[in-house]
Amino acid sequence: MVTTQPSKWVQFLQSKLTQPGEWLLVQYWKHRAPVTTPTWVWKTAPGDNLQQCMNLVMPLADKTDVGRARAAKAVAANVDEIFTGLNNVGTVHFARFDLIGGNLCMFSVYDGDLENYLRDFISVFGSVFDALMELVEAPPPTPCGLHPEAFIDWIIAHDAFQITGDVPSLFPDEGNIANLPRDVVLLLEQHPNVQLGRYSGYPGKSAAQIRLATGIDW
Amino acid sequence: MVASPTDGGLSQRLFDALIADYPDHRPGTRPVHAVGIGAVGYFVPSDVAPRFTVAEHFQMERVNVTVRFSNGSGSPVESDAAIDVRGMATKFHLPSGDSTDLVMSSLPVFFSRNPQDFLDLAKAGEPKPVKPQPRWSRLTDMLLLREPRPPADPSSPNSGTAGVIAYANCHPFARPAIIAALTQPAPTSYARATYHAIHTFKFTDPDGNVRYCRFAWEPVAGVRPETRSGLPKDYLHTELRQRLMRGPARFVLRAVVGGQGDALDNPTKGWDTTRLRVVMGELVLTQLAPDAGAAVEPLSFNPTRVVPGFDISNDKVLVARGAAYAYSCRQRGGTGC
């Protein structure tokens, strides 16, 4: 079979026009047919209380290497407090801080409810987050121990949106499945940070059960 | 033991509805999954399996099995490369002479909540003449930020796809399965796809505790969709024959245990990936069925053919399938109906 390649001029024009054209289409459709972000109710059954993901993406106020180094230093200076705090929370499978571009990120997998997890945070290492909040864009009021609701709202707003189920179920009100690709585009336009799926090597088990089964807990 | 066939003519209506979707259906063949290939081997239950169920085939050292792989279409014309659902039906031969079956497909969820949904979908999917998509329509799709539609198959002037999509537009519960069925690429091998039992079943453990479970065969060789074009229309059969001449094909049987809030009787809804997952055993396929599968093609596989310790749930589609499969088996002169 002979395939016809577009000429170099056509390829050049495509490369220059495609992205701006798509950007314009996205701006048009987000006003013409906006999508509604599904609520947490969409993704959770009552049994969905184990090994939940938190993907906290915190934009740094200073995104230069100097600012990033300041963030790395703030985390490193509090390692003992973070580790002891996470041990005391007791429901955490794993947690880690990453610097990704101009963002300080905390990724963790925990058991139970997000709000309760965050209240435990505030209780056991709130002072670490007070230090980190000094480095991020548009921080919530500190200390977080005195403003827990504002802190929790801020964290939830910076937690990546999670697509863990099938895509059609995200848009139950969509009347035409041919529009689902556009709905996804508009959802991503609303949420620059998104978790796509998840896998667990030992699903259905809490952190406490794992520790008990492996003999490293009381 | 299979579900009661006394269903007020429902089985016949389901059978007729499927036949209507495939005008070239050949009497004496299955109404769907018409093209298949048989293989034989054995199943070895895992060490943990007897903790979850007292079902006989999970207590033994090994159980002989017969497997039939298939393409989902009811057309007798083989087209292994087509976008289609693949099937894997397994019969466990028990020492008593009885058998129990696991009937699975590559769809992770099903189209219908109940038999009436299924009849409606089958009606919507009756083939109608297809017109090629005009150029202006492609441009419109691009401006609407829609995916380009696949080109029409020139060898098939009629298609039920448009009707099925229209059905999905009005029935959100059916969308995950319909989108999967319309987009699922062919695998490189029948032994390189995951197959799901779709419905919920009940495990009873030695203490009498009942757990609601779903099942999947996962290929040890890994899942791999086919990306090459121009393959022979029977490449999956040829590949399986060659693969089994080189050595066995293996699958792991995984059970997923339902949690609070999971849909136990609705096969259109998936379960979260955080559910407890248990390895129930390994299937080892050693060779193609003897006599070119002469004994496998007429053989009845029925998702409701279960044994104590492994029971069907109240899923209405599952119950209806039990009776419809038995009816279909009798209609085509099958064996073991």
Side-chain angles (χ1 to χ4, degrees):
Chain A
M1 180 190 282
V2 179
T3 53
T4 311
Q5 289 287 336
S7 71
K8 283 184 178 173
W9 276 106
V10 170
Q11 288 182 37
F12 174 78
L13 284 173
Q14 279 179 341
S15 68
K16 293 297 175 195
L17 294 176
T18 299
Q19 284 192 14
E22 286 175 347
W23 182 86
L24 279 172
L25 286 172
V26 169
Q27 299 310 308
Y28 172 77
W29 283 110
K30 89 176 193 187
H31 292 292
R32 179 72 195 272
V35 296
T36 306
T37 297
T39 64
W40 285 97
V41 175
W42 156 76
K43 71 170 271 293
T44 52
D48 288 337
N49 58 359
L50 295 177
Q51 301 185 33
Q52 298 297 296
C53 300
M54 186 179 79
N55 310 294
L56 189 53
V57 181
M58 300 177 279
L60 291 169
D62 179 356
K63 295 178 174 49
T64 66
D65 292 337
V66 174
R68 283 152 40 88
R70 205 173 285 136
K73 189 178 170 188
V75 173
N78 291 290
V79 166
D80 278 351
E81 190 171 349
I82 294 166
F83 272 58
T84 305
L86 290 171
N87 277 334
N88 288 337
V89 168
T91 55
V92 182
H93 291 259
F94 77 80
R96 70 173 200 266
F97 284 93
D98 290 12
L99 274 171
I100 299 179
N103 302 296
L104 175 62
C105 304
M106 181 186 179
F107 300 121
S108 72
V109 174
Y110 62 95
D111 299 324
D113 173 76
L114 178 62
E115 277 203 28
N116 288 336
Y117 178 42
L118 296 177
R119 287 181 200 284
D120 285 345
F121 253 43
I122 295 168
S123 168
V124 298
F125 54 92
S127 59
V128 176
F129 271 87
D130 289 341
L132 297 181
M133 290 301 107
E134 291 178 11
L135 306 175
V136 301
E137 278 180 5
T142 51
C144 57
L146 291 181
H147 308 279
E149 302 307 325
F151 177 75
I152 290 169
D153 287 347
W154 192 90
I155 296 285
I156 289 173
H158 291 78
D159 186 20
F161 182 72
Q162 297 179 21
I163 301 178
T164 55
D166 61 275
V167 167
S169 299
L170 286 167
F171 309 103
D173 299 326
E174 176 55 76
N176 186 346
I177 62 170
N179 290 336
L180 287 173
R182 185 178 75 217
D183 294 337
V184 172
V185 169
L186 297 181
L187 184 69
L188 295 180
E189 197 273 341
Q190 288 178 14
H191 300 277
N193 305 309
V194 174
Q195 176 189 324
L196 301 171
R198 60 180 160 180
Y199 170 81
S200 168
Y202 49 88
K205 296 291 182 186
S206 69
Q209 284 175 303
I210 298 299
R211 287 198 300 269
L212 195 62
T214 50
I216 55 171
D217 207 351
W218 65 85
Chain B
M1 183 179 170
V2 300
S4 166
T6 55
D7 59 0
L10 176 63
S11 294
Q12 184 179 349
R13 281 184 283 142
L14 290 167
F15 180 83
D16 292 344
L18 287 173
I19 297 289
D21 281 356
Y22 298 100
D24 60 346
H25 169 74
R26 185 183 299 152
T29 62
R30 289 170 164 83
V32 285
H33 294 269
V35 173
I37 183 170
V40 295
Y42 57 89
F43 175 74
V44 180
S46 70
D47 291 344
V48 298
R51 284 192 232 157
F52 288 85
T53 175
V54 295
E56 187 178 349
H57 48 312
F58 293 102
Q59 316 304 313
M60 304 158 62
E61 200 167 305
R62 68 158 64 177
V63 191
N64 288 334
V65 299
T66 301
V67 168
R68 181 177 184 268
F69 293 103
S70 58
N71 298 335
S73 169
S75 167
V77 180
E78 179 142 14
S79 181
D80 286 353
I83 289 176
D84 195 0
V85 177
R86 311 291 148 177
M88 179 179 174
T90 308
K91 185 175 286 295
F92 299 82
H93 301 283
L94 303 173
S96 60
D98 287 343
S99 64
T100 182
D101 300 344
L102 271 177
V103 179
M104 303 206 197
S105 85
S106 52
L107 281 180
V109 286
F110 199 55
F111 313 101
S112 313
R113 302 163 301 180
N114 53 52
Q116 187 57 49
D117 288 345
F118 191 82
L119 288 168
D120 293 343
L121 175 61
K123 180 75 180 165
E126 285 180 9
K128 294 182 177 64
V130 182
K131 291 179 185 166
Q133 188 183 9
R135 280 192 180 180
W136 62 263
S137 174
R138 288 172 192 243
L139 178 64
T140 307
D141 277 353
M142 192 186 78
L143 293 174
L144 288 167
L145 288 173
R146 292 174 174 170
E147 297 283 333
R149 288 179 233 177
D153 181 0
S155 67
S156 169
N158 297 320
S159 168
T161 302
V164 168
I165 290 173
Y167 180 87
N169 286 339
C170 302
H171 301 87
F173 64 82
R175 291 177 185 176
I178 287 174
I179 290 172
L182 294 177
T183 57
Q184 201 166 65
T188 56
S189 165
Y190 280 128
R192 298 204 67 173
T194 295
Y195 301 88
H196 307 269
I198 296 172
H199 306 285
T200 305
F201 293 82
K202 292 191 289 186
F203 267 170
T204 305
D205 73 14
D207 297 325
N209 301 310
V210 174
R211 292 181 178 87
Y212 287 84
C213 300
R214 289 185 177 180
F215 301 92
W217 287 120
E218 292 182 355
V220 173
V223 171
R224 188 166 182 194
E226 185 56 80
T227 54
R228 295 168 294 174
S229 57
L231 290 165
K233 63 180 184 179
D234 62 346
Y235 81 91
L236 285 175
H237 287 211
T238 307
E239 195 280 340
L240 187 65
R241 189 174 298 116
Q242 292 170 346
R243 176 180 290 269
L244 294 180
M245 285 170 70
R246 291 195 304 271
R250 297 169 189 273
F251 287 85
V252 170
L253 180 63
R254 286 193 200 276
V256 179
V257 182
Q260 191 185 359
D262 282 336
L264 303 181
D265 54 6
N266 183 350
T268 67
K269 289 189 178 296
W271 289 358
D272 197 88
T273 55
T274 58
R275 295 290 171 267
L276 182 66
R277 203 170 56 227
V278 182
V279 173
M280 298 301 293
E282 188 179 41
L283 178 74
V284 182
L285 296 178
T286 52
Q287 60 184 61
L288 288 186
D291 301 327
V296 177
E297 279 310 297
L299 190 59
S300 163
F301 295 89
N302 192 312
T304 62
R305 185 175 287 119
V306 291
V307 291
F310 188 118
D311 298 308
I312 62 171
S313 63
N314 293 327
D315 182 336
K316 293 187 178 93
V317 178
L318 176 57
V319 173
R321 279 179 77 189
Y325 277 49
Y327 177 85
S328 166
C329 181
R330 290 192 297 275
Q331 289 297 306
R332 64 186 167 85
T335 57
C337 303

